[in-house]
Structure formats: C-alpha cells, structure tokens
Amino acid sequence: MAFDHVRTWIFDLDETLYPPSTPLFPQIEARMGAWIRAKLGVSAAEADALRARWWHDHGTTLAGLMREHGEDPGPFLADVHDIDFSVLAPDPDLRAALEALPGRRIIYTNGTAPYAERVLAARGLGGLWDAVYGVEHADHVPKPDREAFDRVFARDGLDPTCAAMFEDSVRNLAVPHEQGVVTVHVGPIRDPAPYVQHHTDDLVAFLRDIASGQPRSVA
C-alpha cells in the first residue's frame, strides 16, 4: 500500500489540524497587519499588499520583514501569536485517528513551537507528538524553502523516503515530494500539482483509511 513504508508522519498545523473555517489564523493576520502598519507607517491596504507580496516572494510575512527590513523575529512572533485560542474545540475523533498511526508523529509549522503547543492543547491533541518543530528550528527560514526542510529534517533525523507529510498549503509539498516524502494535501479542493500524491477534504476519514489499508488517493 502507498503508506506501508511510512515510519514518520509529518503534520502541518494551521488549517491542517483544525478546519480552515476556524477564526484562528485571521486573528494572526490582523496582528501582522497592525505590526506592519506600526513599523513601516503604511496604510492597511498597503500592509495587506506587502503581506501578499512577502508570502509570494519569501514564504511568510516574517521572512519578508526580516529580509527587507531587518525585523527581529522574536518580538514579532510573540505579538502575532497573542491571540484567542478558545475558538478551537477538542476533536476526539482526530485524536484517535492520529493515535492509530504506526510510527512517529511530528508537527512542522511555520509558526513557533510554543504557539503550536497551545493550538494542540486547545484541540485536545497534546501528548501525541514525538517532536514539535516551528520556524525557529529552521533558523526562521520558512517553508516552502528547501533550506527549511533540510534543517528540520536533519534536526529530526527522519528518512524522507520513509515519511508522509500532510499540508493545507500545496506549495509546501513540492520540496518534500522531491525528497521522497509521500505528500498529502488537506483541503476542500483537489489541486492538480504533480507533487500532490494524495488529497483529502476529511482528514479523520483519510487517516482511518490508512489504518484500514485503503487510503483514498489522487494520482
């Protein structure tokens, strides 16, 4: 089967381990916009345009701020992650499906590890993970940069050819696919990108299918 060889299960965090309709990341986006306006003295529209360009050119807003304006990542990350986590609800079905996976489970997010731990706790998914990696573990180089994956995978010691990665952002699957990782896009719409091997709009059902030996896949 497509996942029989997998020994390490890599999960993104935001809008992968909770529904994209959850009003969590919009809070972060609002705080990022406020930070940009205060730092650069620009309008809300200009801040939004900068965020869009930095996401496209650099991978994240933080990477754009660091590379173009010398931003110190620590205060920025602490500020934008100071949000209301009560909008998240525990998901016992997802927890059970994750627990049933054979092998190691890790988180790899472009957020920080402390932020990830708070999200996981609010979702009732704490205590499941062999490791939680944030952007700080890649020296603040974000996905989808190859350097980011190289640093985190080396830190973890995982074998990419024995790993699977679940991501809501399709572009973050390109490098892992090249490295031999089985790629799974988690989102409402299938993407035809050649580096997307599997797709699901129902992560719990997909993980249950893996446990049963019959994963739903998209070539």
Side-chain angles (χ1 to χ4, degrees):
M1 299 300 296
F3 294 89
D4 282 355
H5 67 294
V6 173
R7 298 294 176 266
T8 302
W9 306 87
I10 309 163
F11 288 86
D12 177 49
L13 183 76
D14 288 310
E15 300 189 352
T16 297
L17 292 182
Y18 62 80
S21 59
T22 305
L24 187 75
F25 202 72
Q27 297 180 63
I28 297 174
E29 291 178 321
R31 296 189 72 87
M32 288 192 291
W35 185 281
I36 295 166
R37 294 196 302 274
K39 180 177 181 65
L40 301 183
V42 297
S43 68
E46 289 170 324
D48 288 344
L50 285 169
R51 285 190 55 249
R53 180 172 67 78
W54 290 336
W55 186 87
H56 180 272
D57 294 347
H58 301 293
T60 61
T61 296
L62 173 60
L65 278 166
M66 290 176 64
R67 294 168 185 172
E68 297 187 13
H69 298 279
E71 186 66 73
D72 180 353
F76 174 84
L77 289 168
D79 184 87
V80 302
H81 290 149
D82 183 16
I83 58 173
D84 177 16
F85 292 89
S86 69
V87 298
L88 295 164
D91 190 336
D93 290 336
L94 179 56
R95 183 181 181 91
L98 288 165
E99 283 182 311
L101 292 173
R104 300 175 65 249
R105 296 177 294 269
I106 70 173
I107 294 290
Y108 177 25
T109 173
N110 271 342
T112 64
Y115 162 76
E117 295 283 9
R118 295 190 68 183
V119 172
L120 295 171
R123 289 287 280 157
L125 303 177
L128 288 177
W129 308 95
D130 294 276
V132 176
Y133 298 109
V135 69
E136 69 270 33
H137 295 106
D139 299 320
H140 298 99
V141 177
K143 299 181 281 186
D145 284 15
R146 181 179 301 276
E147 186 179 359
F149 291 102
D150 288 344
R151 290 179 181 181
V152 169
F153 289 1
R155 181 185 289 267
D156 186 77
L158 65 86
D159 178 354
T161 65
C162 296
M165 186 165 187
F166 295 75
E167 262 275 2
D168 72 298
S169 180
V170 170
R171 68 177 185 166
N172 290 346
L173 294 172
V175 170
H177 179 260
E178 291 177 8
Q179 295 173 323
V181 176
V182 178
T183 57
V184 184
H185 175 222
V186 181
I189 300 174
R190 296 179 180 180
D191 191 288
Y195 44 82
V196 175
Q197 294 171 280
H198 304 269
H199 168 265
T200 183
D201 61 1
D202 186 337
L203 182 57
V204 171
F206 190 87
L207 295 178
R208 287 172 174 167
D209 287 345
I210 290 175
S212 71
Q214 297 180 336
R216 308 173 190 185
S217 86
V218 178

